[in-house]
Amino acid sequence: MQLTSLLPVLLSTLSLTSALSTGQAANWTATNFQLECSPGGCAYRFNISAPASENAPSFKTYCEGLTPNATACANNTIIAAVSPLANPTWNVKVQHEWHVIEEEYNSEATYWQAGSANVTETSKAFLIKPDVFYGVA
Ligand SMILES: *[C@@H]1O[C@H](CO)[C@@H](O)[C@H](O)[C@H]1NC(C)=O
Ligand SMILES: *[C@@H]1O[C@H](CO)[C@@H](O)[C@H](O)[C@H]1NC(C)=O
Ligand SMILES: *[C@@H]1O[C@H](CO)[C@@H](O)[C@H](O)[C@H]1NC(C)=O
Ligand SMILES: *[C@@H]1O[C@H](CO)[C@@H](O)[C@H](O)[C@H]1NC(C)=O
Ligand SMILES: *[C@@H]1O[C@H](CO)[C@@H](O)[C@H](O)[C@H]1NC(C)=O
């Protein structure tokens, strides 16, 4: 499905330098973060929203999944992955994908913005500052 083709983007864009960045990225706000571990693995859930910025549309969604795999959020243009760092820290990566019709070129461009935050199990709310911006026309 779609998700498997997006996963490499989520992982690889984090090591790319900004391709098309213009203007200031908006902070994304995660709230209601919860992490529950059992012998079978850890389940996470959180809400995340972003205001519209100069170069990206706004979004607001609810994410849940199992560590460490990338999983689409309720709005599947947003993908999240939570993975363990040194105890008790967790890395939360979020990627947003959107499409823009480029009338001038009669084509559709796809953009991704991604960022991550390091949090602990007791974090309830945190900011993600997207630090990669990537697009293909
Ligand atoms: C994002 O949050 C940081 C820390 O709170 C703040 O310094 C920065 O100005 C914010 N950026 C924007 C674009 O709002
Ligand atoms: C988080 O998302 C859920 C599901 O969409 C919603 O019911 C809940 O009100 C949201 N919580 C906050 C704090 O926005
Ligand atoms: C994570 O993805 C791998 C590879 O697709 C899969 O083998 C594994 O079962 C997944 N783990 C979870 C917890 O979904
Ligand atoms: C999902 O998010 C996109 C922004 O990436 C927004 O345009 C779209 O309306 C959202 N879909 C739903 C069902 O909320
Ligand atoms: C999270 O922690 C890792 C490992 O310490 C570090 O490489 C990374 O830069 C941190 N990420 C953020 C967003 O602070």
Side-chain angles (χ1 to χ4, degrees):
M1 77 190 244
Q2 199 183 14
L3 192 54
T4 52
S5 65
L6 291 176
L7 177 60
V9 171
L10 175 69
L11 299 175
S12 68
T13 53
L14 291 172
S15 61
L16 288 179
T17 50
S18 220
L20 297 173
S21 189
T22 56
Q24 178 93 38
N27 287 327
W28 299 350
T29 307
T31 55
N32 290 19
F33 181 72
Q34 290 171 32
L35 190 67
E36 277 165 25
C37 294
S38 68
C42 296
Y44 65 82
R45 55 185 75 84
F46 60 91
N47 292 27
I48 186 160
S49 62
S53 68
E54 199 183 315
N55 46 33
S58 64
F59 66 84
K60 182 176 170 59
T61 193
Y62 170 74
C63 304
E64 67 180 330
L66 296 174
T67 62
N69 290 0
T71 304
C73 298
N75 181 327
N76 69 3
T77 67
I78 294 101
I79 292 175
V82 176
S83 43
L85 295 174
N87 190 32
T89 313
W90 297 79
N91 180 255
V92 180
K93 287 189 182 82
V94 177
Q95 173 189 289
H96 178 212
E97 174 186 329
W98 70 96
H99 303 276
V100 176
I101 306 292
E102 309 274 3
E103 282 176 19
E104 216 177 312
Y105 303 106
N106 192 24
S107 68
E108 190 184 67
T110 302
Y111 293 97
W112 295 270
Q113 212 167 36
S116 70
N118 291 344
V119 305
T120 65
E121 264 166 72
T122 54
S123 308
K124 291 282 166 264
F126 52 90
L127 292 179
I128 293 183
K129 191 160 180 49
D131 57 358
V132 292
F133 184 39
Y134 189 64
V136 290

